[in-house]
Amino acid sequence: MSKPQDKSAPLRVGVVLFPGFQALDVFGPVDCINVLSWSHSVTFALISSTLEPVTTKSPASTNAIGQSVVPTHTFATAPSLDLLLVPGGLGTRGSNTAIEEAISYIRNVYPQLGYLITVCTGSGLAARAGVLDGKRATTNKMAWAETTGLAVNVDWVPRARWVVDGNIWSSSGVSAGIDVTLAWIEEVYGSEVARKISNSIEYTQHEDPIHDPFAELHGL
């Protein structure tokens, strides 16, 4: 079961960053949280292996452009959190020091979290951390075989915009991060708060978690 959020206390939100994270995986959900903070108390941390700027450009992409984000904390100095967001992106592929440190952080911090939200192939990092074992989860359908192959002990759901299992909310590719975040806000703060946020950002929310045309597109 999900851990209740004390609405009288600030919501403490953190986001894991690593080279090659997908921009919308982070900033779609984060903008929902930004708007939530207009009416509710929120603290926020951008967390990475160092305090150096983190680029959206994958180390494997030679011609792609990217933008950089400056972390507020390292994995070693991260504050206590209620909600951790784990994005996906090309940077989740393979192993390097930044990814291994991110996986270790997810594994170590999960028992203290109220909630974990994964976007896109961010579920692959959570799976490699072992926190999805025995749970239902979903991921980006374009990267389905690669991501689900990382953890055989996860009950991967092929047709889902997002999946909730206990305090873990996993979502499909990229823009689905907005939908799962709004669904989480609705669960914790109520439908009126979620509706006001979606209207504020002029976003038409997918309200059906099993609406997933991209599963069919990719033969799932």
Side-chain angles (χ1 to χ4, degrees):
M1 296 297 292
S2 299
K3 300 178 184 179
Q5 170 64 29
D6 180 359
K7 297 178 187 177
S8 65
L11 172 68
R12 303 168 299 177
V13 180
V15 179
V16 170
L17 297 179
F18 48 84
F21 73 90
Q22 185 79 24
L24 190 62
D25 285 11
V26 169
F27 288 105
V30 165
D31 208 29
C32 294
I33 299 298
N34 286 347
V35 179
L36 176 68
S37 74
W38 297 354
S39 57
H40 295 74
S41 181
V42 178
T43 64
F44 185 74
L46 291 167
I47 311 167
S48 190
S49 54
T50 74
L51 293 179
E52 294 299 313
V54 184
T55 181
T56 60
K57 182 177 178 179
S58 168
S61 300
T62 57
N63 296 321
I65 66 169
Q67 300 79 41
S68 294
V69 176
V70 180
T72 60
H73 297 80
T74 68
F75 296 131
T77 65
S80 297
L81 301 173
D82 301 302
L83 168 63
L84 179 67
L85 174 75
V86 180
L90 293 176
T92 62
R93 274 67 166 177
S95 294
N96 54 54
T97 299
I99 284 297
E100 293 300 330
E101 290 183 2
I103 292 169
S104 294
Y105 173 72
I106 295 165
R107 180 185 301 116
N108 293 334
V109 78
Y110 174 69
Q112 286 78 51
L113 296 175
Y115 304 90
L116 175 68
I117 293 178
T118 69
V119 183
C120 191
T121 55
S123 58
L125 299 184
R128 291 167 67 182
V131 303
L132 299 186
D133 285 352
K135 296 185 178 294
R136 299 171 69 249
T138 197
T139 192
N140 188 322
K141 305 315 181 306
M142 184 182 294
W144 182 259
E146 179 182 1
T147 304
T148 60
L150 295 170
V152 297
N153 295 323
V154 180
D155 182 7
W156 294 106
V157 181
R159 289 179 175 261
R161 185 75 172 164
W162 72 88
V163 170
V164 182
D165 192 332
N167 67 342
I168 297 178
W169 298 58
S170 59
S171 61
S172 189
V174 192
S175 66
I178 301 173
D179 293 313
V180 73
T181 303
L182 289 170
W184 178 84
I185 289 171
E186 181 173 348
E187 173 72 16
V188 175
Y189 292 96
S191 58
E192 182 67 13
V193 174
R195 183 188 62 80
K196 286 182 178 179
I197 293 172
S198 62
N199 287 342
S200 293
I201 64 175
E202 294 199 9
Y203 180 76
T204 302
Q205 179 186 358
H206 291 281
E207 297 181 344
D208 182 358
I210 64 172
H211 174 73
D212 190 2
F214 299 100
E216 183 175 354
L217 178 66
H218 295 290
L220 297 174

